[in-house]
Amino acid sequence: MNNTRLSIIAFFSLFTLLFIQSNDVLSQSKTISGHVYDEFNEPLPFVNIYIKGSTRGTTSNFNGAFSLDLKQDSSLFIVFQYVGFKKLYVEIPAGTNPSPLKVILQVENIMLREIVITTKKEDPAYPIIREAIKNRKYYDELVRSFSAQLYMKSNVTLDEIPESFFLIPKDQMPDSSQLGLMYLSESVSNYYFEKPNKRKEEMIASKISGTKTGYSFNRADMVMLSFYKNLINIGLSERSFISPIAGNALFYYRYRLIESFRDNDELIHKIQVIPKRVHDNIFKGYIYITDEKWNIHSLDLTITRSSQIDFTDSVHIRQVHVPVTGMIKMPLSLHITMYFKAFGFTATTNFIGFFSNYKVNQAFPDDFFGSEVFAVTDESSKLDPLYWLKNRQAVLTTEEVQNYQKGDSIIAYHESDAYLDSMMRIGNAFKFKDLITGGYGRRDKHRTSYYHLHPLTEAFSSYNTVEGLNIDIRQHFSKTWPENKNKHLSFNLATKYSFTNKNLLFEQNVNYYFDRKHDQVVRLTFGKYNYDFNDLVPLSNFQNTVRTLLLEDNFKKLYQKEFIHIESSREIVNGLEAKASIEYANRLPLVNHEDYSIIKVKNKEFTSNNPLNKFDDAPSFEANKALTMKVQLVFKFKQKFATY
């Protein structure tokens, strides 16, 4: 190969390398950051910020701060959208970074001011709402399937505390130093949906302040609220709530056109939603409807306690829709704020859901939607801080950053040998009052083994007409393996002594779980013990004792069994469980030995221990030995499950 040819190859190699590098520089990521304010320089929280023509974006935090990662080869526009304010477009030329941006949003361009309605005229809102109701089903059916990535952030703040609360000792009451952020979590999930009701969610990232291995309770279903449905289930009431554009909405709501404004080339109508009856399952607030298309532009709605929501003072829902393709608009974000107020405590919970990477009306493979509707990946809680810096779609506030830092410090402290040893000494300390009421427990510092002795109040609370007064002492021991959470071993020992019959009985139970996910277990049980003829055990020992002593009802009928029992079970496939057992037993009949009751009921006496003839005091069967084998297949139709 001559020198000229080598020179040509070297030139083109160098040119190619430089071209690749230059393209890489041009398309490399950059972060656009800043704050969003209103006209009065007040921060605007939860502003939707996204790249024009896409659903890739973020939202501003409580202080109006935002951060958005871009990878661009050419100029693009960032859209700032907030309910009640004019949409703003900010151009970002290629190769530039104008950070920090100070974005000021203007109040909507009002074209139609508030109208005073006389009794002879119908509010202009009604024709708009009727068109929206007429088109509701069309827009609901327009989306047959979709997939999206969902970023969620949840937090709980304690806002007020009372001076005292009857369920909390005074020295354990929280003080003002504990006000503020109590809980903080984030998650990223891939969500898939296909009509009529196929859904699947995979949580690929989860982060909880102060917890190392936990998963967030964030779920996509919490923020998947479609107001094109007649009924909206928000999970805070047994009742679903009626959409402002439901088929029968005019029966529940009054409407008032507040104003109309331009959003690009679309005319948007802001309509006040007013409940006709305060105790109905309804919303109040504002719905924004696009003129001529009659679809939802955005919503700003509230539910109050008068609508009978559980444990909650009020709920505020703000949802913004953006174009995805053609006539299809999908929710870009959903912000739910719940206010709690009870016994002098007030707290606020915020859920922020931000959707991106929409794919609408795609065809999923036939076997894509299985029985698993939710799963948390093994790596979800092990991701490093760099992942969250790149994928977090809402900038953390200073308080949230400090909360994470405090949580990390708590985790490190709780994992230290000094802390674990201290907690083990405190937790394992013997207290006689615990033995009486709650039982005595002891565990190792890594929480892999646990021993528990049931309380004495439970041991001495058993009385029946066959055994009389008896003491029933129960103990439990369990062992887990940190390197294999699927394996679990437990021992349960019951020891009973009858003061009437002078009998000492025991039952030993051993359980070994091989696979917790499929509930694969082997059980060994043996001993000499008295059992109820009714193996469903409809009455507990305590319930039977109360009825026997106070009502002269001896419903529990017993027989004795000296036995060994081996059982194995496993879920073969979803919904199909196989069980097999074998038992050898020496079974003995029992008769009543006591007839004492505290209260004697007139014209009433105890029945015999024969479940078939309550007047026959003779043994109910002859003593016998039995070898029993049982095989079962249990099938649960269309069973759905979640994997954690």
Side-chain angles (χ1 to χ4, degrees):
M1 186 177 294
N2 57 41
N3 290 337
T4 304
R5 195 170 179 185
L6 283 172
S7 300
I8 293 173
I9 293 174
F11 171 78
F12 278 105
S13 298
L14 179 62
F15 178 82
T16 303
L17 180 61
L18 290 172
F19 178 78
I20 293 172
Q21 287 181 335
S22 64
N23 271 315
D24 196 45
V25 169
L26 286 173
S27 61
Q28 65 184 347
S29 296
K30 62 184 175 184
T31 301
I32 304 296
S33 60
H35 287 75
V36 188
Y37 302 93
D38 64 11
E39 297 170 272
F40 304 101
N41 216 35
E42 292 293 326
L44 284 177
F46 313 118
V47 175
N48 293 284
I49 304 159
Y50 59 97
I51 300 169
K52 183 181 178 183
S54 77
T55 56
R56 196 158 54 85
T58 184
T59 183
S60 61
N61 67 13
F62 288 100
N63 301 322
F66 71 92
S67 176
L68 179 62
D69 288 335
L70 301 179
K71 190 172 184 180
Q72 60 178 122
D73 297 322
S74 58
S75 296
L76 52 77
F77 286 89
I78 299 178
V79 184
F80 293 82
Q81 184 174 351
Y82 191 69
V83 175
F85 287 77
K86 182 182 178 183
K87 189 184 294 183
L88 179 67
Y89 296 85
V90 175
E91 184 178 7
I92 308 295
T96 66
N97 189 339
S99 300
L101 284 173
K102 182 177 181 180
V103 178
I104 298 177
L105 296 187
Q106 305 289 329
V107 177
E108 297 154 343
N109 283 337
I110 300 170
M111 298 182 61
L112 177 64
R113 295 263 177 204
E114 184 178 329
I115 299 173
V116 178
I117 305 298
T118 67
T119 55
K120 296 181 180 180
K121 291 185 179 180
E122 183 181 60
D123 192 288
Y126 281 88
I128 300 169
I129 287 294
R130 289 192 187 98
E131 289 294 337
I133 292 173
K134 188 189 302 181
N135 286 272
R136 176 196 63 80
K137 189 174 181 181
Y138 166 75
Y139 285 110
D140 182 40
E141 295 177 347
L142 197 59
V143 179
R144 301 182 303 276
S145 66
F146 73 88
S147 66
Q149 188 168 93
L150 170 65
Y151 165 82
M152 278 190 72
K153 182 169 74 171
S154 308
N155 63 43
V156 180
T157 58
L158 182 62
D159 303 319
E160 293 181 54
I161 55 174
E163 292 184 2
S164 62
F165 181 51
F166 68 97
L167 291 178
I168 303 176
K170 194 168 184 178
D171 60 340
Q172 297 180 23
M173 279 291 295
D175 55 38
S176 58
S177 65
Q178 293 171 275
L179 294 176
L181 197 58
M182 296 174 58
Y183 174 87
L184 173 63
S185 72
E186 296 175 280
S187 66
V188 178
S189 295
N190 293 321
Y191 186 79
Y192 310 89
F193 174 81
E194 184 178 79
K195 288 188 175 180
N197 196 32
K198 295 179 181 179
R199 62 192 68 227
K200 180 178 179 180
E201 179 182 358
E202 182 185 32
M203 185 177 286
I204 59 176
S206 178
K207 183 177 178 67
I208 306 176
S209 178
T211 302
K212 184 177 181 180
T213 58
Y215 71 92
S216 168
F217 64 75
N218 299 338
R219 292 285 296 268
D221 287 341
M222 298 168 65
V223 293
M224 288 294 177
L225 304 183
S226 173
F227 285 82
Y228 289 118
K229 302 289 184 184
N230 283 319
L231 297 173
I232 316 297
N233 182 6
I234 62 168
L236 292 173
S237 172
E238 293 182 358
R239 306 187 299 174
S240 294
F241 289 78
I242 298 160
S243 169
I245 57 170
N248 58 349
L250 292 170
F251 179 75
Y252 292 93
Y253 296 104
R254 292 185 292 111
Y255 301 93
R256 188 180 180 194
L257 180 62
I258 300 300
E259 59 196 29
S260 299
F261 59 92
R262 283 281 175 189
D263 183 359
N264 291 339
D265 57 347
E266 294 180 328
L267 180 63
I268 309 300
H269 303 291
K270 179 181 179 180
I271 297 172
Q272 186 177 7
V273 178
I274 307 166
K276 287 186 175 180
R277 295 168 296 276
V278 294
H279 296 295
D280 284 339
N281 46 328
I282 39 75
F283 301 92
K284 68 176 183 179
Y286 301 94
I287 184 170
Y288 294 73
I289 300 295
T290 308
D291 192 70
E292 294 185 349
K293 295 179 181 177
W294 314 118
N295 56 7
I296 296 174
H297 173 274
S298 50
L299 302 116
D300 192 357
L301 301 171
T302 300
I303 304 171
T304 62
R305 179 177 288 183
S306 58
S307 294
Q308 303 173 40
I309 48 180
D310 298 332
F311 313 112
T312 311
D313 190 64
S314 62
V315 180
H316 186 198
I317 300 171
R318 184 184 287 116
Q319 188 183 65
V320 173
H321 293 220
V322 295
V324 175
T325 177
M327 289 287 288
I328 297 177
K329 287 185 176 182
M330 298 291 287
L332 175 68
S333 67
L334 180 72
H335 176 213
I336 302 177
T337 305
M338 297 187 291
Y339 301 96
F340 300 88
K341 189 173 184 179
F343 304 110
F345 292 92
T346 62
T348 305
T349 298
N350 281 284
F351 296 99
I352 301 171
F354 200 95
F355 301 89
S356 60
N357 301 328
Y358 270 113
K359 294 181 181 178
V360 180
N361 292 335
Q362 61 178 318
F364 293 106
D366 292 339
D367 58 349
F368 183 80
F369 293 98
S371 300
E372 185 181 55
V373 294
F374 177 74
V376 182
T377 62
D378 293 338
E379 299 77 21
S380 63
S381 60
K382 303 173 185 176
L383 299 168
D384 59 32
L386 184 61
Y387 173 87
W388 290 103
L389 286 174
K390 290 183 176 181
N391 293 275
R392 179 177 287 127
Q393 290 182 284
V395 175
L396 299 179
T397 63
T398 302
E399 186 181 19
E400 289 171 338
V401 171
Q402 292 173 347
N403 190 271
Y404 271 137
Q405 292 171 346
K406 180 181 177 182
D408 291 340
S409 300
I410 291 173
I411 292 172
Y413 175 61
H414 284 177
E415 290 180 341
S416 67
D417 286 336
Y419 174 83
L420 293 173
D421 291 337
S422 173
M423 293 304 296
M424 184 177 69
R425 285 194 299 270
I426 295 172
N428 294 343
F430 178 80
K431 297 177 183 176
F432 187 73
K433 67 174 184 177
D434 292 340
L435 184 60
I436 298 296
T437 57
Y440 172 68
R442 186 178 182 86
R443 66 175 79 246
D444 69 344
K445 70 178 182 180
H446 297 293
R447 307 178 72 88
T448 58
S449 62
Y450 176 65
Y451 169 79
H452 180 71
L453 176 64
H454 288 239
L456 295 180
T457 50
E458 183 181 305
F460 283 98
S461 63
S462 180
Y463 172 82
N464 58 70
T465 56
V466 176
E467 300 169 321
L469 179 63
N470 59 82
I471 178 172
D472 190 355
I473 299 175
R474 294 180 177 267
Q475 303 173 73
H476 167 82
F477 175 79
S478 61
K479 171 72 176 176
T480 58
W481 286 265
E483 66 276 7
N484 191 342
K485 296 290 181 67
N486 266 326
K487 292 185 178 180
H488 179 80
L489 179 66
S490 67
F491 296 85
N492 299 283
L493 175 62
T495 308
K496 179 186 289 188
Y497 178 76
S498 169
F499 293 100
T500 299
N501 300 334
K502 312 299 182 186
N503 284 338
L504 180 64
L505 306 171
F506 79 97
E507 178 195 67
Q508 175 69 67
N509 171 261
V510 183
N511 301 285
Y512 183 61
Y513 286 88
F514 296 88
D515 184 350
R516 300 299 293 272
K517 180 177 179 180
H518 297 97
D519 204 22
Q520 183 178 5
V521 61
V522 172
R523 293 186 176 92
L524 169 65
T525 310
F526 60 92
K528 180 181 179 181
Y529 211 73
N530 295 340
Y531 294 94
D532 198 327
F533 278 100
N534 186 344
D535 58 4
L536 297 178
V537 192
L539 283 179
S540 68
N541 286 333
F542 178 75
Q543 290 172 322
N544 185 73
T545 299
V546 171
R547 298 193 68 94
T548 302
L549 292 175
L550 301 182
L551 301 175
E552 214 169 350
D553 287 328
N554 58 329
F555 291 123
K556 192 178 282 289
K557 309 300 179 184
L558 303 174
Y559 73 99
Q560 190 173 105
K561 184 167 67 171
E562 189 174 359
F563 71 103
I564 180 169
H565 177 97
I566 301 175
E567 177 183 337
S568 180
S569 63
R570 189 188 192 280
E571 186 181 51
I572 302 172
V573 294
N574 178 54
L576 179 62
E577 183 181 15
K579 298 180 179 181
S581 65
I582 183 169
E583 177 183 286
Y584 179 76
N586 181 21
R587 304 184 294 195
L588 302 172
L590 300 174
V591 296
N592 287 338
H593 289 90
E594 286 284 0
D595 61 357
Y596 173 78
S597 65
I598 296 173
I599 298 176
K600 295 293 183 181
V601 182
K602 188 177 181 180
N603 298 324
K604 191 174 184 180
E605 60 182 21
F606 289 122
T607 59
S608 73
N609 191 48
N610 187 335
L612 299 179
N613 188 346
K614 63 182 180 179
F615 302 110
D616 186 1
D617 290 320
S620 56
F621 64 90
E622 293 183 4
N624 62 81
K625 293 180 174 62
L627 178 65
T628 308
M629 291 177 286
K630 184 186 292 185
V631 177
Q632 290 178 284
L633 286 176
V634 180
F635 186 65
K636 298 176 183 177
F637 293 92
K638 297 184 178 180
Q639 176 177 268
K640 303 293 183 182
F641 67 92
T643 306
Y644 301 97

